[in-house]
Amino acid sequence: MSDSKFTTPIAQSLHSELSERSPVSNLGEKILAIRNSLRPGQQQMADWGSGPLAISAVPGAGKSTGMAAAAAIAIARQYERYAQSRPSSRRHLVVVTFTRSAAANIKAKIRKFLRDDLSLPQTGFFVYTLHGLALNIASRHSDLSGLQLENVTLITPTQSHRFIRSAVEQWIANNPGIYLRLLEGHQFDGEETERLRRQSVLRTEVLPELANTVIHEAKSSGISPEKLREWSKQTTDEYTILSVAAGLYEQYQNLMRSRDFIDYDDMILAALRVLENDSARRIEQNQVFAVFEDEAQDSSPLQTQLLEILASNWEYQPENSPLLTPNSALSTQHSALNLVRVGDPNQAINSTFTPADPIYFRQFCEECDRIERLATMDQAGRSTRIILEAANFALKWINNQSLAKTNNGQQTPDNRQVPFRLQTIRPVETGDPQKNANPAPIGQGLELYTPRDIHHTVELLSQRVIELFGEDPTQNSAAILVRENRQGRWLSEALASVCKEHNITLYDVGERDRRSHVPQEILALLQFCDRPHSPDYLKAALEALVQRQLIPTQDLNALASLPEEFLYPGPLAAPQPETVQKAARLCRNLLRARLELPLYQLISFLALTLNYDQAELATADKLAERVNQQIAGNSSMGGMLSTLSEIVSSERFEPVETEDSEERYTRRGQLTIITMHKAKGLDWDYVFLPFLHENLIPGRFWVPPQSQFLGDFTLSEVARAQIRAALHGESTIPDVTQAWEQAKHLKISEEYRLLYVAMTRAKRLVWMSAAQKAPFTWSKPENLQEQAPCPVFPALKRQFPESVVNLAVMAK
């Protein structure tokens, strides 16, 4: 039989390799050997043969290793079937992960199992991110997807993105009546300065934030502007928030189409358009024998829909059956859905700034449980036992507190109102294959401190770091996990001299993140230099200067609403406070440089003005070279701004970076400062969690003072809660008060899950502290006041009294 019989590249590759190899007689024994080396939860994944399967895995349970082993075994079984029936080789396994680094990691593990343990070709599977998979499908059928890749530009819309801002301006022009109603708010005396301030707040903060939130929420769920308007008719709020959101969303879509721009949700929608076509759907499904998904708790409804369609065996579906909706296949003929989803709803930490909602993976787990297709990976070997006990206690305590507030203590096993799924982390059994599983603790393994203030916190943390790293720092890895980048920046400065003295490498991950913002900061300053009397451009420049801590935090809307009075106050103007004078002087210096320096030197000058560090300066130099090359022969401020805008919008510009990020974060002999969000998926011997205060975890759901004229809520969070209520099938869309409470509950739940993730990053020691005095806001770390600890912190101290460090004894 010739290779032409094999219609897909993967089948041709596999046939070619197999034709040169002798049959593997003991493949079954090799499969069994891999299977028996796994933990019970991993074995259930490895035993998968067909149909849907949900795997709920605790932190440190070995999800990626289990999935790689199960994937290799599934490919091997296809290999066995190939030996008897060649057509079956035309199908391959699709593995989907959340990030590119995770995709590379699991691909390497699958190849290793195939090569070393099974002696098989390293083929028969593909690994994608969700968006990579969607793009692959859409590009293969560009006539159906409408996605001509050579003509479109991919962007990630943010609140400050120019398309969002343009959509806001167009909506205001088209809806003056509704805009005036927003401007009036709850009360307005007509004073001109206040009117200008409110205009600035609405145009640069409130409406862009509403647009950004709703665009993400609606598009990722397949909701159109028309549907939002329909839902708006079910609400009675005075601002018609969902109707306003629908208008902003519609304007954004029109702008995107007119410029041939797409965002990540457009890629998913394009793939789904392909799969609406019967022929294309069957072609795609006929190339896949199963789909394995990792980090399933972070999927949006549309992403789930895409995977379920792809994983459905069309041969089992009725003719002309409608497209699947999330989880619908489970309620019909589940044997037709070859889908394995692995995740941990207790590590869902993205739902307040992405459309991901843990409710969808919970529903999948519940559906699978009903048909006995749910497995739990509850054994974890990463952490020492007391860390597991502390994490388990925190989970149960937080759930009980949530139930006491929302459900009068009526607890049910699968209650969706609680932050966590009821799932206990268990240590591994004796003889587990993981090396040094559940390692011995360092000290108590859990250490709880209550310093006097944040400066005392640094002293205690420094002492412990020096003790732990000892004479040979290269034997240990450690990280300080912070809630905000501003905390990390302050800690980095406070710890620099101590780490240098003791030969401990200090690495602040936030520095790299800030380098990725270099083009946006430079653009903000250049736009101001070009049009200094624009309130929007002035405010954006001031925001960049505040972010770089070059001027004090202050009411920027008041400054930006009257640019000329701020920059060049007349002799009759009221005296400016020192904070305003400092900001004005710096802005005037920028304008003077614009007049005195040649264009090609401006970016380098601005980089120095922004007080960039060496790596940021290198990134700025790279940016300047790129811009100057593109405007060569047509050097003008307009050309420079246009080029920079394109770079910022398309996200094609990469900061100067020379090392692999994840390896860099966890290197031995290094103290890494990283946010709790970025720490997910990583681990260290020692983890420090300072500044555990109630105003950050779970945080206070508050309305910024500048937008309180609209009411005791924010438009964006109300819209998010109303959209999710409609998506979750609730009988009525909540009113503003109810929606605000639901948004608050979502935020609190996610913050507690974030703390749970942070605690479970530690292998041998988790060091936790809540200082008695701390800043109310870390933009002003010098202003200390009494701060209440995160509510779970005192509960941990009561539960683990032996872990409470007596500071009076230490002082002696």
Side-chain angles (χ1 to χ4, degrees), residues 7 15 62 118 131 207 224 245 287 292 304 314 337 350 430 444 502 520 552 600 611 627 729 783 788 794:
T7 57
H15 171 68
L118 296 168
H131 294 108
L207 291 174
S224 65
Q287 295 184 43
F292 284 17
T304 301
W314 64 267
L337 186 70
N350 297 314
T430 305
Q444 292 291 336
H502 293 272
Q520 194 164 351
Y600 67 86
N611 198 25
V627 170
N783 293 347

Side-chain angles (χ1 to χ4, degrees), residues 6-71:
F6 298 90
T7 57
T8 64
I10 187 67
Q12 292 176 2
S13 172
L14 187 59
H15 171 68
S16 175
E17 288 198 47
L18 291 178
S19 64
E20 300 174 3
R21 301 171 66 98
S22 58
V24 179
S25 58
N26 62 344
L27 185 57
E29 295 176 8
K30 293 180 178 180
I31 290 173
L32 189 61
I34 294 177
R35 190 261 183 203
N36 290 341
S37 70
L38 303 173
R39 295 175 187 148
Q42 294 172 322
Q43 288 179 351
Q44 286 175 277
M45 209 186 329
D47 291 340
W48 174 85
S50 64
L53 178 65
I55 310 286
S56 187
V58 300
K63 286 192 291 100
S64 61
T65 297
M67 176 173 276

Side-chain angles (χ1 to χ4, degrees), residues 97-129:
T97 66
F98 193 61
T99 64
R100 286 191 292 269
S101 59
N105 180 45
I106 200 164
K107 183 186 292 185
K109 288 184 176 181
I110 294 172
R111 285 176 170 170
K112 188 174 187 303
F113 275 117
L114 291 172
R115 181 186 67 244
D116 298 347
D117 297 85
L118 296 168
S119 302
L120 290 179
Q122 299 165 55
T123 54
F125 72 101
F126 292 116
V127 182
Y128 299 100
T129 62

Side-chain angles (χ1 to χ4, degrees), residues 599-601 603 620-636 639-640 643-644 647 653:
L599 273 179
Y600 67 86
Q601 290 183 4
I603 291 179
D621 287 344
K622 175 184 173 183
L623 179 68
E625 184 179 355
R626 160 89 175 273
V627 170
N628 291 328
Q629 283 177 348
Q630 288 194 222
I631 65 173
N634 184 29
S635 182
S636 66
M640 179 176 279
T643 300
L644 263 175
I647 289 171
F653 189 82

